[in-house]
Amino acid sequence: MSAAKPTKISWKLQEFVAHGSDVSCLALGRNSGRVMTTGGEDHKVNLWAVGKPNCIMSLSGHTSPVECVRFKDTEELVLAGSRSGALKIWDLEAAKIVRTLTGHKSSVRSLDFHPYGEYVASGSLDTNVKLWDIRRKGCIFTYKGHTDCVNCLRFSPDGRWIASAGEDGTAKLWDLTAGKLLYEFTDHMAAVSSLEFHPNEFLLVTGSADRTVRFWDLEKFQLVSASEGEACGVRCVLFNPDGSCLFSGSQDMMRVMGWEPFRCFDSLHVGWGKLADLSILSNQLIGASFQKSTVSVYIVDLAQVNKSGLGLLAADRPAAPLSPNATPSRANYVRPHTSSSKQANEMKREPEQEARGGNGDEEEEESSSAEITNPDEYKKIFQPSPMLDRTPPKKAEPFPAPPEEDGLLGKNVLAVVHNDRPLTKARRQVPSVVVSEDPATNQTEAAVVPGGRKAPLGLRAADFLPNPEREMTEEEVLSQVRKGYETLCTLLTDRHKKLKIVLALWTSCEIKTAIDAAISMNDAAVINDVLGIMNSKPSLWRLDLCPALIPQIEKLLHSKYESYVLTGCVALKIILQNFASVIKGNLTVPPSSMVDITREERYQKCKVCHRLLMNLRPLLDSRKTRSGRVSGAFRELGMLMITFD
């Protein structure tokens, strides 16, 4: 009797076009794991059933691209923030707008619903965290302390605190009732991209672009443990529902972690790209990502993942009363039995109301609409009968694993739904063609599935493919691999030698000498590498380096390589944040009647920097109107350039 084939640990569930333009944000429902919402550059918020390619509902009303979305825990409300700083709350069961809230001065980048009260929190590019009263359409409090964009927000499970993660490399804990900062966590060396509260214990986890995950005790405000450096920045973190372990998601990777002491129980290459959100359903981890207008959803079978360090057989043992990482001394959250009316009374309203609603908001709400594009799915998910028995249920059926390698693709499979098997030649060459095998004739035919769902006649996949009868020999394969190999090695060797020269000058001489040498090499790759190091350590930047580096940054901004452009954007952002006010101040202060050589030198440097920065302004204005990640960086630079107005 042959042994059963092992089932897949991870696979791609689906891939589909979510918006008419680029997708800018995404969120999964944490209660059911069956719903997903996306926001796009087309100013719309779309609702989806995970695993199905058709949009359930499209919400319109925003006047600028939607940059952040979030479900309420019960999934009957969805919150969206736009680039203009406006927030909109939608009732999905009633298919209508509930509130429009305005008050942020820039793009909203993070959102969360209060677990009990009628409140939401928002974090923005304007560096502020705001707490809103949904019923009164007002801002209760503005928490100020971050010096850069607020990337992530979470309410504590008991609703008493807000944790915020910033691009400035800090995480902050705010007390809602007292309206003040409790503690600031500053150990990360780069932007903090995600954070989560432990579901039961006073424990906070933060994930950062510095490639580490850190666990914090919220009683003693001490670091419990930290992960070793990952291969790339941490994008999402999520505790297992029982609090026994943490799932960390980064570029194409998932890790399972414990924290006392820190341990990595398991790691898995998933291939989901730049992960946007995580959720858990029926012992399956759901990960979603987006690239341009396409959204991809991946599934990880947690039954085949080591979650305790004791091996997979531990899943068959009786559950322990406490998580293996729990410490008896750590307190647990005390959740109120009803909505937090007492807490609502304790929250003092801000003296100056920034968003009272008024007629302007009412007009915006009237112009907003919810278009149901899939009535059957909408009725099934958002209008169950009875209403208290919401579907999909919390313990819904898991998503089925894809067929094995040697299995046949079903004839009714849509072209937008794939698994993570190696693509066949047909699917590589013609993405919209699904190949099926006809056992009666033993011939390969192509079933083309266009957008109109009606298959055209007379098209065969074989007409578009190379002849599969003759396989390449080993020598031919090696010859293909060797093409360009020597050229690539020569380029990399030359680049390595140049960087060694720069490093030698950097360590033995003044930093400006090393940078001048790098510029004289006239190699964009070397400049990109040097600026990458300087971007990771902003303290290296000085005003006297800017006149030489700004022209090099301009060259990177004109590059056809996105990585070069992004490096240039980060470098220019550091210059504007650190020196824009200095440059403007030196140019606006009238000259002194006394001879001051130092001031005169500083004035000349500021004058040169100002001229070079003004020369960049047309480039920034032309690029910020485009869609995509690079355009967002250019828009942010455009806002920073306002300092010179």
Side-chain angles (χ1 to χ4, degrees):
M1 183 175 180
S2 60
K5 292 183 179 180
T7 57
K8 285 181 175 291
I9 299 179
S10 66
W11 63 91
K12 183 187 286 188
L13 178 68
Q14 63 179 149
E15 186 175 90
F16 59 93
V17 176
H19 288 264
S21 59
D22 284 0
V23 178
S24 50
C25 54
L26 176 154
L28 291 163
R30 293 285 179 89
N31 181 45
S32 68
R34 291 282 185 174
V35 290
M36 177 171 59
T37 180
T38 57
E41 297 277 343
D42 57 4
H43 307 179
K44 291 184 179 181
V45 177
N46 291 339
L47 275 297
W48 310 84
V50 176
K52 299 186 179 180
N54 297 322
C55 179
I56 300 175
M57 188 189 309
S58 184
L59 311 175
S60 58
H62 279 290
T63 57
S64 61
V66 179
E67 302 238 318
C68 188
V69 287
R70 180 78 174 171
F71 278 108
K72 188 174 174 62
D73 289 344
T74 50
E75 296 175 2
E76 82 275 12
L77 297 179
V78 70
L79 176 61
S82 68
R83 189 172 296 163
S84 66
L87 285 73
K88 288 183 180 290
I89 305 173
W90 307 83
D91 186 327
L92 303 180
E93 293 180 349
K96 67 177 184 180
I97 184 77
V98 175
R99 286 288 182 268
T100 298
L101 305 170
T102 56
H104 279 295
K105 298 177 182 178
S106 187
S107 173
V108 178
R109 296 290 180 84
S110 51
L111 298 165
D112 200 18
F113 281 92
H114 192 277
Y116 304 107
E118 297 294 320
Y119 309 102
V120 296
S122 59
S124 169
L125 184 61
D126 65 13
T127 74
N128 293 332
V129 175
K130 288 182 178 291
L131 181 65
W132 305 85
D133 187 329
I134 298 176
R135 297 163 299 183
R136 301 184 185 183
K137 298 196 291 186
C139 177
I140 297 175
F141 211 92
T142 299
Y143 303 92
K144 299 183 178 182
H146 284 287
T147 59
D148 208 333
C149 177
V150 182
N151 292 328
C152 186
L153 285 178
R154 290 293 181 267
F155 281 100
S156 62
D158 59 1
R160 296 174 55 195
W161 299 332
I162 298 178
S164 60
E167 191 74 17
D168 55 11
T170 67
K172 299 179 186 291
L173 190 65
W174 310 89
D175 188 300
L176 296 187
T177 55
K180 66 178 183 180
L181 178 68
L182 280 181
Y183 197 78
E184 180 178 15
F185 306 99
T186 59
D187 283 17
H188 282 294
M189 303 301 293
V192 183
S193 53
S194 56
L195 51 77
E196 287 288 341
F197 285 94
H198 191 280
N200 303 311
E201 303 170 13
F202 277 21
L203 185 74
L204 179 72
V205 62
T206 54
S208 170
D210 67 6
R211 303 183 296 170
T212 65
V213 173
R214 296 181 182 272
F215 299 88
W216 309 91
D217 188 304
L218 297 182
E219 282 188 295
K220 302 175 182 178
F221 297 114
Q222 294 178 350
L223 180 66
V224 175
S225 62
S227 70
E228 299 176 358
E230 308 289 328
C232 51
V234 179
R235 301 184 63 85
C236 295
V237 289
L238 179 65
F239 280 102
N240 201 50
D242 63 3
S244 60
C245 62
L246 178 85
F247 301 104
S248 167
S250 57
Q251 177 95 18
D252 292 326
M253 289 294 297
M254 183 208 77
R255 296 186 187 278
V256 189
M257 300 177 178
W259 50 91
E260 287 181 322
F262 175 80
R263 290 162 291 170
C264 181
F265 298 142
D266 208 345
S267 61
L268 180 68
H269 183 276
V270 182
W272 47 34
K274 296 178 180 178
L275 185 65
D277 199 12
L278 290 171
S279 184
I280 293 178
L281 163 70
S282 300
N283 211 23
Q284 288 183 336
L285 183 74
I286 305 166
S289 61
F290 57 87
Q291 177 69 28
K292 295 188 179 297
S293 62
T294 302
V295 169
S296 302
V297 181
Y298 287 76
I299 304 296
V300 178
D301 184 5
L302 298 181
Q304 301 186 65
V305 172
N306 188 355
K307 295 182 287 184
S308 65
L310 301 176
L312 297 177
L313 294 178
D316 300 328
R317 301 171 185 170
L322 292 175
S323 71
N325 294 287
T327 54
S329 60
R330 185 171 295 134
N332 290 351
Y333 297 105
V334 179
R335 296 172 172 82
H337 297 291
T338 59
S339 65
S340 54
S341 57
K342 179 180 179 181
Q343 186 178 16
N345 294 330
E346 292 175 348
M347 292 182 182
K348 298 179 181 180
R349 298 192 63 79
E350 208 171 32
E352 296 182 4
Q353 293 296 326
E354 297 185 37
R356 295 289 297 178
N359 295 332
D361 285 349
E362 291 173 4
E363 291 176 1
E364 286 190 26
E365 291 171 13
E366 289 178 1
S367 64
S368 303
S369 63
E371 179 186 359
I372 301 173
T373 56
N374 192 333
D376 293 338
E377 285 294 328
Y378 169 75
K379 186 175 181 181
K380 177 182 176 182
I381 294 179
F382 297 112
Q383 289 190 329
S385 180
M387 290 294 288
L388 293 178
D389 183 23
R390 287 185 52 78
T391 53
K394 199 165 186 177
K395 294 183 179 179
E397 289 295 321
F399 294 103
E404 294 301 319
E405 292 291 334
D406 54 354
L408 302 177
L409 286 172
K411 293 185 178 182
N412 60 344
V413 176
L414 295 178
V416 293
V417 182
H418 310 291
N419 55 38
D420 65 351
R421 294 182 297 175
L423 297 178
T424 62
K425 292 181 180 179
R427 289 173 64 188
R428 276 200 303 269
Q429 300 291 331
V430 190
S432 61
V433 174
V434 178
V435 180
S436 60
E437 190 86 7
D438 188 349
T441 60
N442 197 26
Q443 294 179 350
T444 301
E445 297 182 354
V448 181
V449 187
R453 299 286 191 266
K454 293 182 180 179
L457 300 176
L459 293 179
R460 293 172 52 85
D463 297 335
F464 301 93
L465 303 177
N467 184 5
E469 295 179 358
R470 177 182 171 274
E471 293 185 358
M472 296 178 65
T473 65
E474 184 177 347
E475 286 192 6
E476 290 174 332
V477 172
L478 291 175
S479 175
Q480 292 288 336
V481 172
R482 289 194 189 100
K483 282 185 177 179
Y485 175 77
E486 293 181 0
T487 303
L488 178 61
C489 286
T490 302
L491 290 173
L492 292 177
T493 302
D494 180 65
R495 181 174 177 181
H496 183 250
K497 289 180 179 178
K498 291 177 179 178
L499 289 174
K500 287 180 69 176
I501 294 172
V502 174
L503 177 61
L505 293 172
W506 193 302
T507 54
S508 61
C509 304
E510 209 267 345
I511 183 174
K512 192 174 187 306
T513 305
I515 290 176
D516 290 339
I519 294 173
S520 66
M521 293 174 183
N522 196 25
D523 189 335
V526 173
I527 296 296
N528 182 70
D529 292 339
V530 171
L531 285 178
I533 297 297
M534 296 185 65
N535 291 344
S536 65
K537 296 183 178 181
S539 59
L540 294 173
W541 288 85
R542 301 198 310 260
L543 181 62
D544 61 340
L545 301 178
C546 296
L549 285 176
I550 292 176
Q552 304 304 317
I553 293 172
E554 183 177 7
K555 293 179 182 179
L556 293 183
L557 296 180
H558 283 286
S559 173
K560 63 181 179 180
Y561 302 114
E562 184 182 84
S563 61
Y564 285 17
V565 176
L566 290 176
T567 299
C569 287
V570 174
L572 186 57
K573 177 182 174 182
I574 293 174
I575 291 175
L576 292 173
Q577 287 178 331
N578 293 347
F579 306 116
S581 59
V582 176
I583 294 171
K584 184 177 180 181
N586 277 274
L587 295 180
T588 54
V589 173
S592 174
S593 58
M594 300 178 63
V595 177
D596 188 344
I597 298 176
T598 303
R599 185 190 181 283
E600 183 63 24
E601 289 177 350
R602 186 169 62 250
Y603 174 83
Q604 292 300 329
K605 291 174 184 176
C606 291
K607 188 176 180 180
V608 173
C609 290
H610 182 265
R611 175 176 56 81
L612 294 172
L613 290 172
M614 290 300 100
N615 291 341
L616 285 175
R617 201 155 198 174
L619 173 63
L620 301 181
D621 292 337
S622 64
R623 295 285 186 92
K624 68 182 182 182
T625 56
R626 301 180 184 179
S627 59
R629 183 174 62 152
V630 175
S631 65
F634 278 103
R635 282 190 292 272
E636 188 174 354
L637 292 173
M639 293 180 61
L640 293 172
M641 290 286 284
I642 297 176
T643 306
F644 296 113
D645 293 338

